[in-house]
Each structure stands twice: as structure tokens, then as C-alpha cells.
Amino acid sequence: GADAALLPLDERYADLLGVARRTVLAAEHTGRSRLEMLLASPMRPVDRLRAEVGFRRLTPRLQKLVERADGVQCNGEVAWAAYASHSRAPLRIYDSRVRLADVQEARRRRADRTPAPTLRLAFSGRLIPIKGPEHAVEAHRMLRSRGVDVSLDVYGDGPMMAELQAHAPD
């Protein structure tokens, strides 16, 4: 009986299409982008082949789900290119994982002209090789070694967490 439902663009949610008056699917990745993330990690040739076949078949199936939905919310260019033309009502977005407190603090500092005490770096995303979280840790370490007062906030989780923590300076 809901007026609207926002569902992930995922085959596991296909049975929920139509349970609300309007259903919008939220898309971020395609079969191709998921394959690229997976291939950033080493794998056996047979597993690579299986992954390539499976993920190449995924995008057309997801496009069919988008055609059935009332709209699609595409997070970024990759999703937009793959799904917008398959939807009656596509919407391109760029999400943000910035906390309200961070925005309020930045506004206060700007209004007061108060300099930030440290340079703040941040990484937001899944901790997997294709996302490059190790570059954020390396930038932090390099700036620290040059005497820059810097902090790094990491928002995310994934298989690289232990490796990143081991290489982080603090």
C-alpha cells in the first residue's frame, strides 16, 4: 500500500516491483563495472572466465528490470549510460556520504573565517582494489612524512581493511 518504493537495482528485488503505486530502482553499477571491480583482484583463469560470462549477461537482465519499473535513479555516469535509455523516468544523481555535522562545521568555519586545524582527507567507498583506497592511505602517509598536519577518514569496509590498517601511520 505504499505510494512509492525505492529499491536497489538487483535481481533479488524483482518480485517487489509493483508492490507500491510507483517503484523506482536505484542503480550504481552495471555488470561491466562489477566485473572490472572483481578483476582488479588476482584470480585463476577459469574463475576469470566464469566471472566474465556471468557479468556480461547481467546488464541486459538489469536493463529489463529498469524497463518494468516506473523510474530509475542512476548514481553516476556508468549507471546513467547503461540504464537511462531503458527507463520512462530516469534521474541522474551523484550521491554524497558527507555527514551533516561536517557540512555545518565547514559553514561555521567559513562564516568565522576560522582556519581548519588540520588538512582533512577522506575516502568513501568499498575497500577493494579497483576503488583505490590504498592511494588515500599513501597520500596521508606521504603528507605526514613531510610534516603536514593531516587526518584521513575512511568510510567503507571490504576485503582490504586489514591491509590498509597495517599501512596506515596511525
Side-chain angles (χ1 to χ4, degrees):
D3 290 328
L6 178 62
L7 304 174
L9 177 54
D10 186 311
E11 292 175 303
R12 294 175 294 183
Y13 296 90
D15 290 341
L16 295 178
L17 286 171
V19 298
R21 286 186 8 173
R22 298 279 186 261
T23 305
V24 176
L25 298 173
E28 184 171 358
H29 294 288
T30 65
R32 178 74 188 165
S33 66
R34 289 178 180 155
L35 175 63
E36 289 169 358
M37 287 187 280
L38 183 66
L39 295 180
S41 300
M43 56 186 353
R44 299 178 323 166
V46 67
D47 294 330
R48 180 186 175 97
L49 180 61
R50 283 186 184 124
E52 286 198 30
V53 170
F55 281 118
R56 288 184 193 282
R57 292 179 175 169
L58 180 60
T59 299
R61 292 195 316 262
L62 295 178
Q63 288 168 334
K64 288 188 186 319
L65 285 178
V66 169
E67 289 169 2
R68 291 178 45 208
D70 295 298
V72 65
Q73 176 180 291
C74 299
N75 184 4
E77 296 302 318
V78 171
W80 182 259
Y83 305 119
S85 65
H86 296 272
S87 175
R88 296 184 292 263
L91 176 66
R92 183 177 3 204
I93 66 160
Y94 299 94
D95 79 350
S96 174
R97 292 168 179 95
V98 176
R99 298 176 308 153
L100 176 60
D102 297 328
V103 173
Q104 290 169 333
E105 176 68 12
R107 283 182 180 159
R108 186 190 64 73
R109 287 185 188 285
R110 188 172 40 228
D112 295 346
R113 303 261 189 251
T114 306
T118 60
L119 171 62
R120 289 188 67 192
L121 303 178
F123 176 88
S124 173
R126 186 127 167 81
L127 304 181
I128 56 177
I130 196 166
K131 298 278 186 168
E134 71 277 12
H135 300 296
V137 172
E138 177 60 21
H140 179 255
R141 195 176 58 69
M142 190 170 40
L143 288 166
R144 274 273 172 96
S145 72
R146 294 181 180 170
V148 176
D149 187 14
V150 62
S151 68
L152 172 63
D153 295 308
V154 176
Y155 301 95
D157 199 356
M160 293 180 70
M161 177 66 87
E163 173 190 342
L164 295 170
Q165 288 174 328
H167 290 97
D170 59 6

